[in-house]
Amino acid sequence: MLRYYNDNNKQMMPMAKRVLLVNKFYYARGGDCVVALNTETLLRENGVEAQVFAMEYPQNLPAHYQDQFASRVNFGGGLRNQWQALQRTLGKGDVRDRFEAVLDDFKPDVVHLHNIHSYLSPVVGELAHKRGIRVVWTLHDYKLLCPRYDCLLGGKPCEKCFKGAKFNVVAHKCMKESLPASGVAWLEAKKWNRRRLERNTDVFVCPSEFMASKMIAGGFDPAKVKVLNNFLDPVKLKQYQELDSGAPREDYYCFVGRLSPEKGIEDLLEVASRLPYPLKVAGSGTLEPAMRIKYADCSNIEFLGILDAPDVADLLAHARFSIMPSQCYDNNPLSVVESLCAGTPVAGSQIGGIPELIDSSNGIVFQPFDRETLSTAITMAMSRDWDHAAIARQALQRFNPETHLQALVSDIYSF
């Protein structure tokens, strides 16, 4: 069995020899995929034999078991596609045989699940559990509590389904405002209910205390719920370590993220248009075209579109502060983590896991859905003298891959 030495080279921590990571896609499609990919790299670089199971998809990276990946399903198109997708949601079809074949060959000590609903299925955790394999599940959204996954109803946070009343997803047509889509989500929630998921999972990893508290409020066993923040991958970590975080800042603040309603971007732009401070907006999303038109004549708002990682780091490193005006249960937002690693304070909504990342030394929190407190927070953050170097130093330690690995090995994998 492998052993990991901590930074002081004193305590030896036993580590699993083989970890099978499971995520529905195997490329950097979204935050869940990025975390799974980063975890795979982190484990391999520290001597663990890590392999991957996912769904077949054209953009997937090459993988050892790619020929055994579950066949692709499509929730759009004709009735045949929809029927196959429904079967997958319920854990039927080739996903079972293909996953079992990987288990037979690889013989993992740990199966580490990430985002598996719909395109794969929680059946993979059940199959691993039946073999006595330790099952760890990192949660990237609230799907185990909310069939819609994001706890939103009419643009506001909703917890109607937390205590088992999953039929609310049908009653309110939460999935795409569609009765059939909402019905499928309800069937999935009934099939993979809390008791069944809890029975087949050893540890639910929550990247925020907030998510952990909601899992417990939803009836999950507190002994199986662990908190572990996400981490910066080594490439990004190096980028931020090499920044001169203590250098003078330019006279602007910035937003980095998705331009969609739940991110509070409409309130932010309305407030920003009335303030004298320049705002740079990086990202794209459903609201981008309309917002570009609406604020085309506003000289203090600049839309940058999608930026690559080095440009995001440069944008953050020169900003006075960044802004995160979310109106949803954001879990452990990477944009906040990266901002702090750049030594850039954050003005963030007091919602979800955001306040856990912010204290009086590195940012300001304000009430979501409240433009007045948002405006006040922007003015305060712009006028305050921040210790950018200290902010970066603390964040780079907190979100360091080695810090994450030590907690993963000692408390999550428990070997």
Side-chain angles (χ1 to χ4, degrees):
M1 182 170 290
L2 300 173
R3 292 182 182 272
Y4 169 79
Y5 287 80
N6 68 10
D7 291 337
N8 297 322
N9 204 34
K10 292 180 180 179
Q11 182 183 1
M12 291 194 302
M13 298 179 181
M15 180 177 288
K17 291 181 180 178
R18 299 184 194 87
V19 176
L20 181 62
L21 295 150
V22 186
N23 196 61
K24 56 188 180 183
F25 299 106
Y26 186 49
Y27 71 101
R29 180 185 176 104
D32 57 323
C33 303
V34 170
V35 172
L37 288 166
N38 289 347
T39 303
E40 177 194 9
T41 301
L42 180 65
L43 293 173
R44 285 183 172 174
E45 288 180 348
N46 284 273
V48 179
E49 188 178 349
Q51 295 294 345
V52 177
F53 183 80
M55 182 185 75
E56 293 175 344
Y57 203 72
Q59 281 74 41
N60 281 344
L61 300 170
H64 181 76
Y65 287 111
Q66 62 188 22
D67 292 339
Q68 294 294 339
F69 281 5
S71 60
R72 183 179 177 182
V73 294
N74 187 349
F75 283 81
L79 290 177
R80 181 179 179 182
N81 283 349
Q82 293 176 21
W83 174 250
Q84 290 175 336
L86 175 61
Q87 293 295 297
R88 174 64 56 78
T89 293
L90 300 179
K92 301 181 183 300
D94 67 6
V95 66
R96 301 176 67 98
D97 292 340
R98 295 193 177 192
F99 188 70
E100 294 244 53
V102 174
L103 294 180
D104 287 340
D105 185 71
F106 185 50
K107 298 178 174 58
D109 300 295
V110 173
V111 166
H112 190 159
L113 310 177
H114 285 267
N115 197 341
I116 60 171
H117 271 88
S118 303
Y119 290 97
L120 291 175
S121 165
V123 73
V124 296
E126 189 167 75
L127 293 171
H129 173 77
K130 286 179 178 178
R131 295 178 177 227
I133 300 169
R134 185 171 179 82
V135 177
V136 171
W137 194 341
T138 293
L139 306 178
H140 299 276
D141 55 38
Y142 298 88
K143 181 70 173 177
L144 275 58
L145 298 170
C146 164
R148 180 188 151 105
Y149 78 84
D150 60 4
C151 303
L152 286 173
L153 177 60
K156 298 290 180 68
C158 169
E159 300 182 5
K160 291 179 181 291
C161 290
F162 277 26
K163 289 292 187 178
K166 307 301 185 188
F167 194 75
N168 280 295
V169 68
V170 177
H172 297 284
K173 293 194 292 188
C174 294
M175 294 297 294
K176 305 176 183 178
E177 297 183 352
S178 161
L179 193 59
S182 299
V184 170
W186 174 71
L187 286 173
E188 185 179 27
K190 293 290 288 182
K191 170 85 172 183
W192 305 109
N193 57 68
R194 176 185 60 79
R195 291 185 180 84
R196 189 170 184 176
L197 296 177
E198 193 173 76
R199 183 172 64 245
N200 296 314
T201 308
D202 295 285
V203 181
F204 296 99
V205 180
C206 299
S208 68
E209 293 280 359
F210 178 86
M211 173 178 269
S213 72
K214 294 304 178 185
M215 286 286 288
I216 293 168
F220 282 84
D221 181 0
K224 289 194 171 189
V225 177
K226 304 285 187 182
V227 177
L228 180 60
N229 287 160
N230 294 325
F231 64 97
L232 276 187
D233 70 84
V235 174
K236 281 189 176 180
L237 182 73
K238 190 171 187 293
Q239 286 178 349
Y240 286 103
Q241 286 173 331
E242 293 176 348
L243 290 173
D244 183 5
S245 57
R249 299 296 173 123
E250 296 179 23
D251 194 28
Y252 70 85
Y253 66 111
C254 63
F255 169 86
V256 178
R258 191 167 63 249
L259 276 62
S260 52
E262 74 278 4
K263 294 299 182 180
I265 190 69
E266 292 169 290
D267 280 357
L268 170 61
L269 294 176
E270 183 60 35
V271 168
S273 69
R274 299 195 231 108
L275 293 173
Y277 317 115
L279 168 66
K280 295 180 183 288
V281 178
S284 186
T286 56
L287 292 178
E288 183 184 6
M291 295 298 100
R292 281 183 178 270
I293 292 171
K294 183 174 181 178
Y295 296 101
D297 296 328
C298 187
S299 61
N300 67 322
I301 297 177
E302 181 182 2
F303 292 92
L304 304 175
I306 297 175
L307 302 181
D308 60 21
D311 286 339
V312 168
D314 185 69
L315 175 71
L316 290 169
H318 290 90
R320 297 287 296 278
F321 69 97
S322 70
I323 185 87
M324 177 55 69
S326 289
Q327 297 176 346
C328 62
Y329 286 167
D330 262 335
N331 189 11
N332 188 232
L334 184 61
S335 56
V336 175
V337 170
E338 291 193 22
S339 181
L340 297 175
C341 288
T344 304
V346 179
S349 297
Q350 195 163 2
I351 193 170
I354 295 173
E356 297 170 35
L357 302 173
I358 301 172
D359 58 34
S360 59
S361 69
N362 66 11
I364 295 171
V365 294
F366 56 88
Q367 291 298 317
F369 304 101
D370 188 333
R371 292 181 178 180
E372 184 175 343
T373 61
L374 171 58
S375 178
T376 300
I378 292 171
T379 301
M380 290 176 61
M382 185 63 75
S383 61
R384 182 171 164 182
D385 185 19
W386 299 95
D387 188 341
H388 299 285
I391 292 171
R393 192 164 52 248
Q394 182 184 45
L396 288 169
Q397 174 60 31
R398 180 176 181 181
F399 304 110
N400 191 289
E402 290 186 4
T403 302
H404 185 92
L405 179 65
Q406 183 173 340
L408 188 66
V409 171
S410 63
D411 195 35
I412 307 300
Y413 291 168
S414 295
F415 277 84

